[in-house]
């Protein structure tokens, strides 16, 4: 599967036992993808197919196993979303759809999941009542703002810490530290949050009492406090190699177009966040465009979203009005922790990427109406132009939902 | 002074009593659920599973949904309960329970099905379901029991009537966009709970 090309060399990631059979392979899928499927309220979970009344369907497509539709190691068969079955696979079980829903008569059998109406797993932004709820929304909402990140504020509320200054730094005596490095630390978030040099460079270890200084700590240091972010990173395309004990990803390994100058860079926390300063604004755009060189990325700066971001950085627009790369590809998520709502950044850049309507609820609906969002995401040409322009057409599903609503109201 | 019974008479009486008791144990147990050698029959097991399902759902419908939605007007029950921050519908509560049981893989599954389903995937599919759902609709108060083979495994299949116990059941189904039937009344059989017990080969 193209999604696994980075780790395909590590057979044991999936083949955890040599002759383990289906159950072992299935558990390998679930270990990485299970949580996201559960969060998506999977429309076709395995339990649907373990029900004995569906035994006849399982005989045709054994949908209890991911690999029935997402077969591995067959690049010639593999298409978008790692799917290896024919696009009209819905018909195996839903052959009666034209009778059950006369509005669907004449629809192409291979169009169920590609027309922006249905998805096999994740229908959270597509189900009929959701369309109806958001039917008459404007293209852009009057209050078009992203939720503000507030993790540092929440942590301070839970346990206030004293901000540190240059004078407090605890790097070992005799270590040469460039003044810029010290200042980058002292005037930014980590010093403000009471995080000193040894907290990252010589973290406490459960294995040894002695704290050993490392000039270049890796993500294990970040994980002490930023566990969700590090774990998210490890689940996505950027970090999945490290997560399996392989050397970190380089742009040279990628199958997307990458800048020539960036080919040998390695990916980790500081490659985007830049050590000591940990400037999230740099991480949100400049870090991405430092490597990514595809049409969508090249079109970003001149795009409507790019201009909004530029305006926010320049102080011309409200915080949260700008749309960085991270705004869409690493959405802000609300988590309830001990009675407080924490807004954190999802570091699995892949989680809401494909099919792209997964982004609608986590990203687009902060600023745009549902119909406009679905129509824009449904136009590959508009996506390639980074949304410079208008969607060519609105989705038929909204018209159909409206028609059924009118009919229901008449009764 | 009471005469003490003769030892011989005692012995005879005890023998008669013991014989009678042992004879009784061979009679079919009409009140009890034990089959031969004290094993529980599939039918008894299905009845028991259904009794628990029905009881839990009734408690949920009356004490949670009816009370909080209709009496106290504190919260709604909605099909899309997560998005609407509402209570799950009683039928969804049953389905979610059946999903957890299915995951345990213990040979017991149950489903809420109907001859007039809102979601067509919950319509009668197997021969037993079609016959069972029709039977309970035609014979009020009766259950349907049969055996069927699905996917190479034999099942004891029981179908229990699911009645409209509250006005909310009737009005929602009658007005739903996808309902094939719009004239349900209180106490009508709206569908059935189908319980399947996998039989040992």
């Amino acid at each position: 599967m193209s999604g696994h090309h980075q780790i395909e060399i590590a057979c044991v990631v999936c083949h955890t036992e040599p002759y383990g059979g289906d159950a072992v392979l299935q558990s390998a899928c679930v270990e990485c993808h299970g949580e996201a499927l559960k969060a998506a309220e999977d429309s076709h979970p395995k339990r649907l197919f373990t029900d004995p009344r569906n035994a006849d369907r399982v005989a045709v497509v054994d949908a209890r196993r991911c690999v029935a539709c997402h077969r591995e190691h067959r690049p010639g068969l593999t298409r978008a979303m790692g799917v290896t079955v024919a696009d009209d696979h819905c018909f195996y079980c839903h052959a009666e759809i034209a009778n059950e829903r006369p509005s669907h008569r004449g629809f192409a059998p291979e169009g169920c999941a590609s027309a922006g109406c249905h998805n096999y797993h994740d229908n959270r932004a597509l189900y009929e009542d959701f369309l109806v709820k958001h039917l008459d929304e404007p293209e852009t909402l009057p209050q078009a703002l992203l939720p503000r990140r507030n993790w540092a504020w929440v942590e301070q509320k839970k346990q206030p810490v004293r901000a540190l200054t240059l004078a407090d730094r605890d790097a070992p005596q005799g270590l040469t530290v460039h003044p810029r490095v010290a200042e980058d630390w002292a005037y930014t978030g980590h010093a403000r949050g009471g995080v000193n040099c040894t907290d990252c460079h010589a973290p406490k270890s459960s294995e040894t009492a002695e704290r050993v200084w490392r000039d270049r700590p890796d993500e294990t240091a970040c994980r002490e406090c930023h566990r969700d972010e590090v774990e998210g990173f490890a689940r996505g395309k950027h970090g999945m190699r490290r997560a399996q004990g392989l050397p970190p990803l380089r742009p040279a390994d990628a199958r997307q177009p990458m800048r020539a100058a960036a080919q040998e860079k390695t990916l980790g926390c500081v490659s985007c966040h830049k050590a000591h300063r940990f400037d999230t604004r740099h991480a949100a755009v400049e870090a991405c465009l430092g490597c990514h060189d595809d049409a969508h990325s090249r079109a970003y700066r001149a795009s409507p979203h790019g201009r909004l971001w530029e305006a926010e950085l320049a102080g011309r627009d409200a915080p949260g009005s700008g749309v960085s790369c991270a705004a869409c590809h690493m959405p802000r998520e609300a988590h309830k922790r001990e009675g407080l709502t924490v807004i954190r950044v999802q570091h699995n850049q892949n989680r809401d990427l494909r099919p792209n309507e997964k982004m609608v609820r986590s990203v687009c609906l902060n600023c745009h109406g549902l119909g406009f969002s679905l129509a824009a995401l449904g136009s590959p040409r508009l996506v390639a132009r980074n949304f410079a322009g208008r969607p060519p057409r609105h989705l038929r599903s909204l018209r159909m939902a409206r028609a059924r609503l009118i009919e229901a109201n008449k009764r | 002074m009471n005469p003490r019974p003769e030892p011989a008479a005692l012995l005879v009486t005890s023998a008669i009593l013991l014989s009678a008791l042992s004879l009784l144990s061979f009679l079919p147990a009409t009140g009890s659920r034990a089959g031969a050698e004290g094993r529980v029959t599939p039918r008894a097991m299905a009845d028991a599973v259904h009794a628990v399902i029905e009881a839990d759902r009734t408690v949920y419908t009356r004490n949670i949904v009816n009370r909080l939605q209709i009496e106290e007007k504190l919260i709604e029950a909605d099909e899309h309960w997560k998005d609407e921050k509402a209570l799950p519908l009683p039928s969804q509560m049953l389905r979610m329970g059946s999903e957890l049981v299915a995951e345990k893989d213990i040979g017991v599954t149950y489903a809420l099905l109907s001859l007039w389903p809102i979601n067509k995937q919950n319509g009668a599919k197997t021969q037993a379901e079609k016959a069972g759902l029709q039977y309970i609709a035609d014979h009020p108060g009766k259950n349907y029991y049969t055996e069927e083979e699905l996917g190479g495994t034999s099942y004891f299949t029981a179908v229990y009537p699911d009645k409209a116990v509250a006005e909310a059941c009737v009005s929602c189904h009658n007005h739903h966009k996808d309902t094939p039937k719009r004239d349900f009344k209180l106490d009508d059989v709206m569908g059935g709970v189908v319980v399947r017990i996998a039989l040992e080969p």
Side-chain angles (χ1 to χ4, degrees), chain A residues 7-16 25 73:
Chain A
I7 57 170
E8 224 170 6
I9 195 79
C11 310
V12 77
V13 171
C14 299
H15 297 276
T16 51
L25 295 176
H73 313 308

Side-chain angles (χ1 to χ4, degrees), chain A residues 264-281:
Chain A
E264 297 305 318
K265 283 189 180 174
T266 54
L267 257 98
C269 306
V270 297
S271 45
C272 299
H273 284 282
K274 293 187 105 55
H276 305 111
R277 216 175 168 78
F278 295 104
D279 183 352
T280 51
R281 289 171 301 176

Side-chain angles (χ1 to χ4, degrees), chain A residues 110-191:
Chain A
E110 61 275 3
C112 308
S114 56
C117 302
H118 298 290
N119 184 265
Y120 186 86
H121 290 295
D122 186 348
N123 285 284
R124 287 175 297 171
L126 303 173
Y127 68 87
E128 185 180 0
D129 285 346
F130 193 75
L131 300 181
V132 166
K133 188 173 162 183
H134 294 268
L135 254 182
D136 290 312
E137 282 174 342
E139 293 185 350
T140 305
L141 305 179
Q143 268 248 317
L145 291 173
L146 291 170
R148 305 287 302 281
R149 290 175 302 120
N150 69 351
W151 179 72
W153 173 83
V154 168
E155 289 296 302
Q156 278 281 15
K157 267 187 93 75
K158 277 164 41 181
Q159 184 155 10
V161 290
R162 183 182 70 82
L164 300 172
T165 65
L166 261 178
D168 294 314
R169 67 187 192 278
D170 67 356
Q173 293 286 349
L175 186 76
T176 311
V177 178
H178 195 287
R180 171 87 53 77
V181 163
E183 283 168 9
D184 278 352
W185 165 78
Y187 300 114
T188 56
H190 281 93

Side-chain angles (χ1 to χ4, degrees), chain A residues 41 47 51-57 93-94 100-101 127-130 132-133 361 404 408 411, chain B residues 79-80 82-84 99 103 109 113 120-121 123-126 129 150-151 155 177-178 182 196:
Chain A
E41 291 162 47
R47 58 176 180 269
D51 189 333
R53 66 192 302 261
N54 286 324
D56 58 331
R57 292 172 171 178
C93 301
H94 295 280
E100 289 165 14
R101 291 202 185 283
Y127 68 87
E128 185 180 0
D129 285 346
F130 193 75
V132 166
K133 188 173 162 183
R361 287 180 65 142
R404 289 216 330 148
R411 274 198 285 269
Chain B
E79 192 181 330
H80 306 290
K82 244 191 212 168
D83 279 348
E84 303 303 321
E99 285 164 8
E103 277 168 22
T109 53
L113 305 174
K120 304 299 173 276
Q121 296 294 315
K125 195 157 155 283
T126 71
E129 286 168 4
L150 300 166
Y155 295 89
K177 274 184 248 179
D178 288 322
R182 297 189 183 279
R196 283 189 174 93

